Amino acid sequence: MERKTRIGIIGLGIMGGAIARNLIAAGHTVAGFDTDPGKMSRLAADGVVGCGSAAEVVRGADLALTSLPTVEALDVVVGALASAPQRGLIVAELSTMPIEVKQAAHDRLQAVDMIMLDCPLSGTGAQAVTRDLALYGSGDEAAFARCREAFAAFARVSHYLGAFGNGSRMKFVANLLVAVHNVAAAEAIVLGTKAGLDPGRILEVIGSGAGTSRIFELRGPMMARGVYTPPTATMHVLQKDSAIIAEFARALGVDTPMLTAAAPLYDEAEAQGYAEEDVGAVHAVLARRAGLATKR
């Protein structure tokens, strides 16, 4: 896929918005649609061409990207695209959804000669801003190859993983680790703080040794400050993803004790009012349990 192509993006949230900006910076023309008009108006200043529907976004596009929050949203979007098909168009689905849901979407678009790729992303919203994402691609290999240059405009690396659905399988493995590492980072920072260590020094020293992780480095500063906004991924999104992973593991007969142990902490954080804040807010739950002061 040559540079300076027209790319349509459906879903302009934390991820979709950052991707749109990076595609524009790389020289692509970007059209976008979101059910929230405010998101489109904010991106208009960055050069995103606002559209009135999903079908309008893909009209004349060389590639379409979908970054959607729910199964229901994907169903609506695929229905709109199938009702006004752009034959031969590649649709790269970037969201985290159950594999059977993506497969059904793939089959609906294939029936009208459109190609869906399963391409979930690994990384936070902050990483999306700096193009520090990993893309896990699966599906039609020739179609994936045509998209590599566009993917390079918003992802640090893109992996082709074979048959449709393998991208999601890899994303489930990655997100299991994210959910567990996030709680582990919070637990460690609370322990060190309660012991009298300076949170900033905890970040510096642990970050230099074997105990660090990408999640510790990305979310540790939020936890050390006790401020979980702006979110790089919301509590609500992580809970949705974790439920998908847990069901996927159960269907395979695989026990996930670490994910099971982490889940109640995310539930507790949401119950305490952190649903729309960053998932690093599990730190607040553990800090309260330890008797440490929090900022609310």
mmCIF file of all heavy atoms in Angstrom, residues 96 98 172 179 236-250 259 263:
data_model
loop_
_atom_site.group_PDB
_atom_site.id
_atom_site.type_symbol
_atom_site.label_atom_id
_atom_site.label_comp_id
_atom_site.label_asym_id
_atom_site.label_seq_id
_atom_site.Cartn_x
_atom_site.Cartn_y
_atom_site.Cartn_z
ATOM 1 N N THR A 96 -10.222 -5.473 20.806
ATOM 2 C CA THR A 96 -10.153 -6.742 21.523
ATOM 3 C C THR A 96 -11.577 -7.250 21.704
ATOM 4 O O THR A 96 -12.373 -6.645 22.426
ATOM 5 C CB THR A 96 -9.466 -6.580 22.888
ATOM 6 O OG1 THR A 96 -8.158 -6.041 22.685
ATOM 7 C CG2 THR A 96 -9.355 -7.921 23.602
ATOM 8 N N PRO A 98 -14.168 -11.155 21.490
ATOM 9 C CA PRO A 98 -14.133 -12.621 21.384
ATOM 10 C C PRO A 98 -13.891 -13.047 19.937
ATOM 11 O O PRO A 98 -14.383 -12.401 18.998
ATOM 12 C CB PRO A 98 -15.530 -13.043 21.864
ATOM 13 C CG PRO A 98 -15.985 -11.924 22.743
ATOM 14 C CD PRO A 98 -15.411 -10.679 22.131
ATOM 15 N N PHE A 172 -4.808 -11.961 23.664
ATOM 16 C CA PHE A 172 -5.295 -12.451 24.948
ATOM 17 C C PHE A 172 -4.124 -12.819 25.869
ATOM 18 O O PHE A 172 -4.151 -12.540 27.072
ATOM 19 C CB PHE A 172 -6.200 -13.671 24.753
ATOM 20 C CG PHE A 172 -7.453 -13.409 23.950
ATOM 21 C CD1 PHE A 172 -8.149 -14.457 23.377
ATOM 22 C CD2 PHE A 172 -7.936 -12.116 23.768
ATOM 23 C CE1 PHE A 172 -9.299 -14.232 22.636
ATOM 24 C CE2 PHE A 172 -9.077 -11.874 23.024
ATOM 25 C CZ PHE A 172 -9.764 -12.938 22.457
ATOM 26 N N ALA A 179 -2.794 -7.288 32.715
ATOM 27 C CA ALA A 179 -3.663 -7.240 33.893
ATOM 28 C C ALA A 179 -2.915 -7.658 35.154
ATOM 29 O O ALA A 179 -3.066 -7.042 36.220
ATOM 30 C CB ALA A 179 -4.886 -8.136 33.680
ATOM 31 N N HIS A 236 -12.838 0.252 32.853
ATOM 32 C CA HIS A 236 -13.942 -0.423 32.184
ATOM 33 C C HIS A 236 -13.439 -1.276 31.020
ATOM 34 O O HIS A 236 -13.866 -2.427 30.838
ATOM 35 C CB HIS A 236 -14.955 0.614 31.686
ATOM 36 C CG HIS A 236 -16.113 0.033 30.962
ATOM 37 N ND1 HIS A 236 -17.103 -0.678 31.590
ATOM 38 C CD2 HIS A 236 -16.433 0.021 29.637
ATOM 39 C CE1 HIS A 236 -17.991 -1.094 30.702
ATOM 40 N NE2 HIS A 236 -17.595 -0.686 29.510
ATOM 41 N N VAL A 237 -12.509 -0.741 30.242
ATOM 42 C CA VAL A 237 -11.976 -1.474 29.088
ATOM 43 C C VAL A 237 -11.185 -2.689 29.543
ATOM 44 O O VAL A 237 -11.314 -3.788 28.983
ATOM 45 C CB VAL A 237 -11.108 -0.554 28.206
ATOM 46 C CG1 VAL A 237 -10.307 -1.364 27.194
ATOM 47 C CG2 VAL A 237 -11.987 0.464 27.496
ATOM 48 N N LEU A 238 -10.363 -2.532 30.581
ATOM 49 C CA LEU A 238 -9.576 -3.669 31.049
ATOM 50 C C LEU A 238 -10.474 -4.777 31.583
ATOM 51 O O LEU A 238 -10.222 -5.963 31.356
ATOM 52 C CB LEU A 238 -8.574 -3.238 32.116
ATOM 53 C CG LEU A 238 -7.625 -4.368 32.548
ATOM 54 C CD1 LEU A 238 -6.210 -3.850 32.738
ATOM 55 C CD2 LEU A 238 -8.103 -5.050 33.824
ATOM 56 N N GLN A 239 -11.539 -4.410 32.292
ATOM 57 C CA GLN A 239 -12.456 -5.424 32.799
ATOM 58 C C GLN A 239 -13.120 -6.187 31.656
ATOM 59 O O GLN A 239 -13.289 -7.402 31.719
ATOM 60 C CB GLN A 239 -13.514 -4.780 33.688
ATOM 61 C CG GLN A 239 -12.984 -4.368 35.053
ATOM 62 C CD GLN A 239 -14.103 -3.863 35.938
ATOM 63 O OE1 GLN A 239 -14.817 -2.948 35.585
ATOM 64 N NE2 GLN A 239 -14.256 -4.480 37.089
ATOM 65 N N LYS A 240 -13.493 -5.464 30.613
ATOM 66 C CA LYS A 240 -14.085 -6.112 29.440
ATOM 67 C C LYS A 240 -13.107 -7.100 28.824
ATOM 68 O O LYS A 240 -13.452 -8.243 28.524
ATOM 69 C CB LYS A 240 -14.493 -5.035 28.417
ATOM 70 C CG LYS A 240 -15.146 -5.541 27.141
ATOM 71 C CD LYS A 240 -14.174 -5.681 25.975
ATOM 72 C CE LYS A 240 -13.661 -4.343 25.482
ATOM 73 N NZ LYS A 240 -12.726 -4.518 24.322
ATOM 74 N N ASP A 241 -11.852 -6.657 28.641
ATOM 75 C CA ASP A 241 -10.838 -7.517 28.040
ATOM 76 C C ASP A 241 -10.547 -8.731 28.923
ATOM 77 O O ASP A 241 -10.398 -9.855 28.422
ATOM 78 C CB ASP A 241 -9.550 -6.734 27.810
ATOM 79 C CG ASP A 241 -9.685 -5.678 26.721
ATOM 80 O OD1 ASP A 241 -10.760 -5.605 26.085
ATOM 81 O OD2 ASP A 241 -8.711 -4.932 26.515
ATOM 82 N N SER A 242 -10.465 -8.516 30.238
ATOM 83 C CA SER A 242 -10.147 -9.623 31.152
ATOM 84 C C SER A 242 -11.241 -10.676 31.157
ATOM 85 O O SER A 242 -10.956 -11.879 31.251
ATOM 86 C CB SER A 242 -9.923 -9.081 32.572
ATOM 87 O OG SER A 242 -8.760 -8.264 32.616
ATOM 88 N N ALA A 243 -12.495 -10.240 31.038
ATOM 89 C CA ALA A 243 -13.595 -11.202 30.977
ATOM 90 C C ALA A 243 -13.501 -12.056 29.720
ATOM 91 O O ALA A 243 -13.755 -13.274 29.756
ATOM 92 C CB ALA A 243 -14.934 -10.461 31.023
ATOM 93 N N ILE A 244 -13.120 -11.447 28.605
ATOM 94 C CA ILE A 244 -12.948 -12.185 27.354
ATOM 95 C C ILE A 244 -11.822 -13.218 27.498
ATOM 96 O O ILE A 244 -11.952 -14.380 27.093
ATOM 97 C CB ILE A 244 -12.641 -11.222 26.195
ATOM 98 C CG1 ILE A 244 -13.863 -10.345 25.894
ATOM 99 C CG2 ILE A 244 -12.212 -11.987 24.942
ATOM 100 C CD1 ILE A 244 -13.575 -9.203 24.936
ATOM 101 N N ILE A 245 -10.711 -12.795 28.099
ATOM 102 C CA ILE A 245 -9.572 -13.691 28.275
ATOM 103 C C ILE A 245 -9.934 -14.856 29.198
ATOM 104 O O ILE A 245 -9.587 -16.017 28.928
ATOM 105 C CB ILE A 245 -8.363 -12.926 28.838
ATOM 106 C CG1 ILE A 245 -7.908 -11.858 27.856
ATOM 107 C CG2 ILE A 245 -7.210 -13.876 29.155
ATOM 108 C CD1 ILE A 245 -6.988 -10.824 28.468
ATOM 109 N N ALA A 246 -10.628 -14.557 30.298
ATOM 110 C CA ALA A 246 -11.003 -15.608 31.247
ATOM 111 C C ALA A 246 -11.888 -16.653 30.588
ATOM 112 O O ALA A 246 -11.704 -17.861 30.791
ATOM 113 C CB ALA A 246 -11.705 -14.989 32.451
ATOM 114 N N GLU A 247 -12.843 -16.213 29.763
ATOM 115 C CA GLU A 247 -13.727 -17.144 29.069
ATOM 116 C C GLU A 247 -12.950 -17.961 28.031
ATOM 117 O O GLU A 247 -13.173 -19.168 27.876
ATOM 118 C CB GLU A 247 -14.866 -16.385 28.400
ATOM 119 C CG GLU A 247 -15.855 -17.266 27.643
ATOM 120 C CD GLU A 247 -16.446 -18.369 28.489
ATOM 121 O OE1 GLU A 247 -16.710 -18.128 29.697
ATOM 122 O OE2 GLU A 247 -16.642 -19.480 27.961
ATOM 123 N N PHE A 248 -12.031 -17.317 27.345
ATOM 124 C CA PHE A 248 -11.181 -17.992 26.358
ATOM 125 C C PHE A 248 -10.372 -19.093 27.042
ATOM 126 O O PHE A 248 -10.295 -20.232 26.539
ATOM 127 C CB PHE A 248 -10.253 -16.957 25.716
ATOM 128 C CG PHE A 248 -9.247 -17.504 24.752
ATOM 129 C CD1 PHE A 248 -9.631 -17.980 23.509
ATOM 130 C CD2 PHE A 248 -7.894 -17.500 25.072
ATOM 131 C CE1 PHE A 248 -8.694 -18.472 22.600
ATOM 132 C CE2 PHE A 248 -6.947 -17.989 24.176
ATOM 133 C CZ PHE A 248 -7.347 -18.473 22.939
ATOM 134 N N ALA A 249 -9.780 -18.783 28.198
ATOM 135 C CA ALA A 249 -8.978 -19.766 28.935
ATOM 136 C C ALA A 249 -9.845 -20.916 29.446
ATOM 137 O O ALA A 249 -9.449 -22.088 29.366
ATOM 138 C CB ALA A 249 -8.257 -19.086 30.091
ATOM 139 N N ARG A 250 -11.028 -20.590 29.953
ATOM 140 C CA ARG A 250 -11.930 -21.644 30.446
ATOM 141 C C ARG A 250 -12.300 -22.615 29.328
ATOM 142 O O ARG A 250 -12.339 -23.830 29.524
ATOM 143 C CB ARG A 250 -13.202 -21.027 31.037
ATOM 144 C CG ARG A 250 -13.068 -20.561 32.471
ATOM 145 C CD ARG A 250 -14.413 -20.260 33.099
ATOM 146 N NE ARG A 250 -15.084 -19.139 32.462
ATOM 147 C CZ ARG A 250 -14.931 -17.866 32.838
ATOM 148 N NH1 ARG A 250 -14.109 -17.569 33.833
ATOM 149 N NH2 ARG A 250 -15.578 -16.899 32.215
ATOM 150 N N LEU A 259 -4.653 -14.165 36.928
ATOM 151 C CA LEU A 259 -5.723 -13.312 36.411
ATOM 152 C C LEU A 259 -6.926 -13.350 37.339
ATOM 153 O O LEU A 259 -7.551 -12.316 37.611
ATOM 154 C CB LEU A 259 -6.125 -13.781 35.012
ATOM 155 C CG LEU A 259 -7.198 -12.949 34.308
ATOM 156 C CD1 LEU A 259 -6.693 -11.537 34.017
ATOM 157 C CD2 LEU A 259 -7.623 -13.625 32.997
ATOM 158 N N ALA A 263 -8.567 -9.936 39.254
ATOM 159 C CA ALA A 263 -9.876 -9.429 38.838
ATOM 160 C C ALA A 263 -10.639 -8.691 39.932
ATOM 161 O O ALA A 263 -11.205 -7.614 39.678
ATOM 162 C CB ALA A 263 -10.714 -10.572 38.266
#
